[in-house]
Amino acid sequence: MNTADLGLPVAVPSTALFTDQYELTMLQAALRSGTADRRSVFEVFTRRLPEGRRYGVVGGTGRVLDAVENFRFDATILGFLRERGILDEPTLQWLADFRFRGDIWGYPEGEVYFPGSPVMRVEGTFAEAVLLETVILSILNHDSAVAAAASRMAVAAGDRPLMEMGARRTHELAAVAASRAAYVGGFHTTSDLAAGFRYNIPTVGTSAHAFTLLHDSEREAFTAQVETLGSGTTLLVDTFDVTEAVRAAVEVAGPDLGAVRIDSGDLLLIAHRVRQQLDALGATKTRIVVTSDLDEYAIASLAAAPVDAYGVGTRLVTGSGHPTCSMVYKLVARADGDEPGAPLRSVAKRSMGAKSSVGGRKWAARRPDAHGVAEAEVIGTGPVPAELADHLLQVPLVKDGTVVAREPLEAARDRHLSARAGLPLSATQLSRGEPVLPTEYV
């Protein structure tokens, strides 16, 4: 089943209004001044990584491709713009036929990036490219923030599985995007069924404290759950007394009990005690799952604990303290005239402080050292040096308005594992530090 074709509530018939008004008023002014058809190049990049982060993770590329395809101004949307008096009639007529017909290049989803990395490049007329700014940034800033947090948590977890369970901590549609980004970053499952339905992410979930409290005793609750879901289920054991709950859980489910979940208290101490108790009761294969406001640091602190899996919610879907990547969308080159072959002129913002940009249509490559480990992010505007030709990072995503780079979500997930493995070992340190690779401009 191709769920992308179902018109689900987690998608939208049109993404055209996922934008800021000034994108449309710039379009109107450019149409009036005769500059709307100038060939233009916009680039998405961030000037810096969130404080203390060693690398960023590209998340949301697949969603960007969907958004670009669905960026259409139907009669209802045009009527809204007309009633509000936002645009004049010639501009509304121009939008009625709008389709993005340009090209988009970018780092493939799951790849890592660094300050200045041209994560995405949008080429077309000024009119068509400027309209995409807000929706592209909205997706990339959110999804890349969650993917980066997920990656750090996956490093901390090692081989232990990670469950995404943050749907109740964010907007209902953002929760679906967060589940997708977390999967790219290294999580294994999600509790959000909409994400499982739309993106085929494996889903998990059994019961909450409310189910225990519904029954007259913990034992009755466990019995009902085991009789319904089987002895391989996961029983929540911290509603009252953990020791008593573990004993009752094993007595009800037998030594083949799948797992117990701990959701509060001193997780390190409790996990050790529960493991000892389970082993003493003969439930040596019963796993221990912990869920309780975890982040990468809490997960790392449990590395020596007998924990088998982690469930993470709030800190994951909010980027573990960095809910955005501060990516920007800047015009870096434009033609002097409307002719298709008019040469491009480099343009850049020049301002005081840290908000200037580097002009020119850029390529990017990751230079390896003699051992094949990445040593620098190299960005240039001229010819690509021969020694970097096999290390270019950008790939075609959209050609002449047609998406050319759709891929299974598993491909982005696998790519991230490979990209992260190619970085210096210090990239996986959770201690605060500078980006693990320097950015070099040539």
Side-chain angles (χ1 to χ4, degrees):
M1 177 176 60
N2 184 2
T3 56
D5 295 334
L6 296 180
L8 301 175
V10 293
V12 289
S14 170
T15 53
L17 292 184
F18 287 173
T19 192
D20 292 306
Q21 181 169 310
Y22 80 166
E23 314 290 9
L24 300 182
T25 53
M26 280 193 288
L27 166 66
Q28 178 171 299
L31 288 170
R32 181 168 297 182
S33 70
T35 56
D37 290 333
R38 285 187 176 179
R39 182 170 161 235
S40 300
V41 179
F42 287 83
E43 288 178 349
V44 178
F45 63 93
T46 186
R47 296 182 176 95
R48 65 190 66 83
L49 297 180
E51 184 179 356
R53 295 288 173 89
R54 306 298 180 94
Y55 61 90
V57 180
V58 178
T61 307
R63 295 207 310 119
V64 167
L65 300 181
D66 292 340
V68 171
E69 276 195 336
N70 291 325
F71 206 91
R72 304 283 188 268
F73 292 83
D74 60 23
T76 301
I77 293 174
L78 293 172
F80 164 77
L81 296 173
R82 182 178 290 110
E83 291 167 8
R84 290 291 181 95
I86 293 171
L87 299 173
D88 60 20
E89 199 59 36
T91 304
L92 292 171
Q93 293 176 11
W94 187 94
L95 289 174
D97 297 323
F98 175 79
R99 299 290 186 275
F100 179 75
R101 296 181 173 85
D103 299 336
I104 300 179
W105 289 66
Y107 284 35
E109 190 159 17
E111 183 58 84
V112 298
Y113 69 88
F114 299 91
S117 295
V119 169
M120 188 167 285
R121 186 175 73 231
V122 181
E123 303 186 22
T125 65
F126 176 84
E128 62 183 343
V130 75
L131 291 179
L132 301 180
E133 174 182 3
T134 302
V135 70
I136 287 177
L137 288 180
S138 176
I139 293 170
L140 292 182
N141 269 313
H142 173 269
D143 289 24
S144 297
V146 174
S151 178
R152 286 164 60 84
M153 293 174 190
V155 166
D159 295 331
R160 297 171 178 176
L162 288 161
M163 301 174 287
E164 183 278 316
M165 46 199 308
R168 65 191 59 196
R169 302 300 188 213
T170 188
H171 185 280
E172 65 272 19
L173 300 187
V176 181
S179 295
R180 184 186 181 282
Y183 193 68
V184 170
F187 272 60
H188 300 79
T189 55
T190 180
S191 66
D192 192 308
L193 290 178
F197 182 53
R198 180 162 182 77
Y199 297 117
N200 201 32
I201 301 170
T203 57
V204 292
T206 51
S207 67
H209 293 103
F211 186 75
T212 300
L213 297 172
L214 171 68
H215 294 80
D216 293 335
S217 70
E218 206 164 36
R219 183 179 294 271
E220 287 184 15
F222 290 167
T223 299
Q225 184 173 328
V226 170
E227 288 179 349
T228 304
L229 302 178
S231 61
T233 191
T234 299
L235 296 177
L236 182 59
V237 295
D238 74 324
T239 305
F240 304 116
D241 180 87
V242 173
T243 301
E244 291 300 320
V246 170
R247 181 180 296 109
V250 176
E251 289 175 355
V252 168
D256 293 329
L257 173 62
V260 295
R261 178 162 74 96
I262 307 166
D263 190 49
S264 60
D266 185 336
L267 298 179
L268 180 61
L269 176 63
I270 296 173
H272 278 287
R273 289 178 175 173
V274 168
R275 182 74 271 160
Q276 292 173 357
Q277 185 181 8
L278 288 170
D279 292 346
L281 293 170
T284 57
K285 295 182 180 179
T286 299
R287 298 176 301 117
I288 297 175
V289 179
V290 295
T291 58
S292 181
D293 292 326
L294 299 177
D295 61 9
E296 59 266 48
Y297 301 105
I299 292 170
S301 73
L302 293 168
V307 172
D308 297 286
Y310 305 94
V312 189
T314 304
R315 296 292 288 178
L316 175 64
V317 299
T318 56
S320 195
H322 298 288
T324 180
C325 300
S326 298
M327 290 182 181
V328 294
Y329 185 99
K330 296 298 180 184
L331 182 66
V332 296
R334 55 92 170 170
D336 286 330
D338 297 340
E339 302 78 15
L344 289 173
R345 171 190 297 187
S346 174
V347 295
K349 178 180 179 179
R350 296 283 183 258
S351 63
M352 297 180 66
K355 297 190 72 172
S356 60
S357 57
V358 178
R361 181 180 184 272
K362 302 174 194 68
W363 51 263
R366 189 161 299 143
R367 187 176 69 233
D369 64 15
H371 303 286
V373 178
E375 67 176 11
E377 194 89 339
V378 185
I379 300 171
T381 56
V384 179
E387 65 273 16
L388 294 177
D390 292 334
H391 303 288
L392 293 174
L393 294 162
Q394 295 155 312
V395 299
L397 301 173
V398 176
K399 179 66 176 175
D400 296 328
T402 300
V403 172
V404 296
R406 278 216 168 78
E407 61 181 6
L409 196 57
E410 292 287 347
R413 176 184 171 84
D414 292 343
R415 180 181 297 113
H416 177 61
L417 290 174
S418 177
R420 193 175 66 204
L423 297 177
L425 286 176
S426 58
T428 59
Q429 293 177 345
L430 295 182
S431 57
R432 292 187 179 275
E434 297 300 315
V436 72
L437 296 186
T439 302
E440 299 178 1
Y441 290 92
V442 297

